[in-house]
């Protein structure tokens, strides 16, 4: 089992829709997690950095964790075509000195 | 503010030729530096990381090597490229092993 897994998509939604992106993880001891956004032919950029104890909201983006299900989620409200990108989650790996382990990414397409 | 520069943006090289990709970071001292490879539709694979000048850790066996001749300079090299070396190479830096990574814009390498 991979440490961190994501549905690769693509996920296609109409403009204005609420988007839910998810990661499942196997390491139950992490303290925080991150979401990255990667536009085509660009490097990933840090979108949200969240401690595992609660939710975090930043504008149209909300990050959540469900420890009982080992799920972390990123919600995007009022999605825009400019949100079209690949979204990667990242969790520190206790088996690798807490270095980040990335999910494979979910490709999102928001259609106008 | 900190910035990371990575070049070239694209590169086409024949099989058996050498490779040198360079990455520099500005605005911070003694960063952790990383080389990742991202294959099409797949996640980020950590190749090398460095916690200081001359200190390189390799995560996967391959015909690539890395060097850190200066505090904020990280170089990815190969003596003879293979077709399987094609991919998107990303340099990144962080303050510590478990802090967020900040990526460059990557080099798309095609080995023909």
């Amino acid at each position: 089992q991979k440490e961190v897994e994501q549905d690769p998509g693509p996920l296609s939604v109409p403009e204005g829709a609420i988007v839910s992106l998810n990661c499942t993880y196997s390491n139950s001891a992490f303290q925080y997690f991150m979401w990255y956004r990667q536009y085509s032919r660009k490097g990933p950029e840090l979108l949200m950095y969240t401690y595992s104890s609660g939710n975090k909201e930043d504008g149209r983006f909300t990050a959540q964790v469900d420890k009982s299900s080992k799920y972390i989620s990123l919600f995007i409200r009022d999605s825009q075509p400019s949100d079209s990108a690949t979204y990667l989650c990242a969790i520190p790996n206790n088996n690798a000195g807490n270095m980040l382990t990335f999910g494979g990414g979910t490709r999102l397409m928001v259609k106008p | 503010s900190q910035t990371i520069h990575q070049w070239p943006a694209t590169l086409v090289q024949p099989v058996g030729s050498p490779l040198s990709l360079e990455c520099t970071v500005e605005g911070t001292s003694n960063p952790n530096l990383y080389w990742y490879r991202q294959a099409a539709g797949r996640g980020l694979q950590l190749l090398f990381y460095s916690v200081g000048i001359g200190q390189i850790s390799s995560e996967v066996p391959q015909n690539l090597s890395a060097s850190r001749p200066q505090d904020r300079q990280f170089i990815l090299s190969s003596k003879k490229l293979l077709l399987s070396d094609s991919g998107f190479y990303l340099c990144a830096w962080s303050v510590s092993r478990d802090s967020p990574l900040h990526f460059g814009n990557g080099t798309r390498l095609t080995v023909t």
Side-chain angles (χ1 to χ4, degrees):
Chain A
Q1 181 186 6
K2 292 182 180 178
E3 300 268 359
V4 182
E5 297 200 59
Q6 288 183 259
D7 185 332
L11 177 63
S12 182
V13 301
E15 183 175 356
I18 296 175
V19 176
S20 174
L21 302 167
N22 304 301
C23 277
T24 57
Y25 63 90
S26 58
N27 176 2
S28 61
F30 74 93
Q31 299 299 313
Y32 55 89
F33 58 94
M34 302 164 201
W35 282 98
Y36 283 81
R37 177 175 61 196
Q38 185 176 19
Y39 291 114
S40 180
R41 299 180 180 277
K42 297 291 186 182
E45 57 177 327
L46 182 65
L47 190 61
M48 295 190 77
Y49 177 102
T50 309
Y51 286 95
S52 62
S53 59
N55 302 337
K56 182 174 182 178
E57 185 174 325
D58 184 0
R60 296 185 294 110
F61 299 88
T62 300
Q64 284 186 355
V65 60
D66 181 345
K67 288 190 172 182
S68 60
S69 303
K70 294 191 176 181
Y71 237 60
I72 59 174
S73 301
L74 178 70
F75 297 96
I76 307 174
R77 293 188 303 277
D78 187 25
S79 56
Q80 303 295 309
S82 58
D83 295 327
S84 298
T86 296
Y87 291 81
L88 303 99
C89 61
I91 296 175
N93 185 348
N94 285 357
N95 296 324
N98 283 338
M99 290 186 66
L100 294 182
T101 296
F102 286 83
T106 299
R107 185 178 164 209
L108 171 67
M109 295 188 295
V110 181
K111 298 187 175 181
Chain B
S1 63
Q2 300 88 3
T3 56
I4 179 168
H5 303 280
Q6 192 180 339
W7 68 93
T10 58
L11 189 60
V12 180
Q13 292 282 99
V15 169
S17 64
L19 173 73
S20 180
L21 302 181
E22 190 164 340
C23 171
T24 59
V25 179
E26 295 177 359
T28 186
S29 296
N30 196 31
N32 285 8
L33 296 172
Y34 308 80
W35 279 110
Y36 282 86
R37 178 168 56 201
Q38 187 176 36
R42 300 178 66 180
L44 292 165
Q45 179 187 32
L46 178 62
L47 301 175
F48 301 95
Y49 70 92
S50 171
V51 299
I53 296 174
Q55 301 178 62
I56 309 294
S57 297
S58 174
E59 292 296 305
V60 292
Q62 61 218 327
N63 71 323
L64 299 172
S65 62
S67 61
R68 185 171 177 173
Q70 300 180 42
D71 180 44
R72 290 170 288 177
Q73 184 184 26
F74 206 22
I75 298 172
L76 182 69
S77 304
S78 174
K79 292 182 179 179
K80 289 185 178 182
L81 284 169
L82 305 173
L83 285 174
S84 58
D85 292 324
S86 294
F88 191 46
Y89 289 83
L90 289 156
C91 181
W93 72 273
S94 70
V95 172
S96 61
R97 289 166 67 95
D98 58 354
S99 60
L101 295 177
H102 305 277
F103 289 88
N105 274 328
T107 295
R108 186 161 303 280
L109 171 67
T110 303
V111 182
T112 61

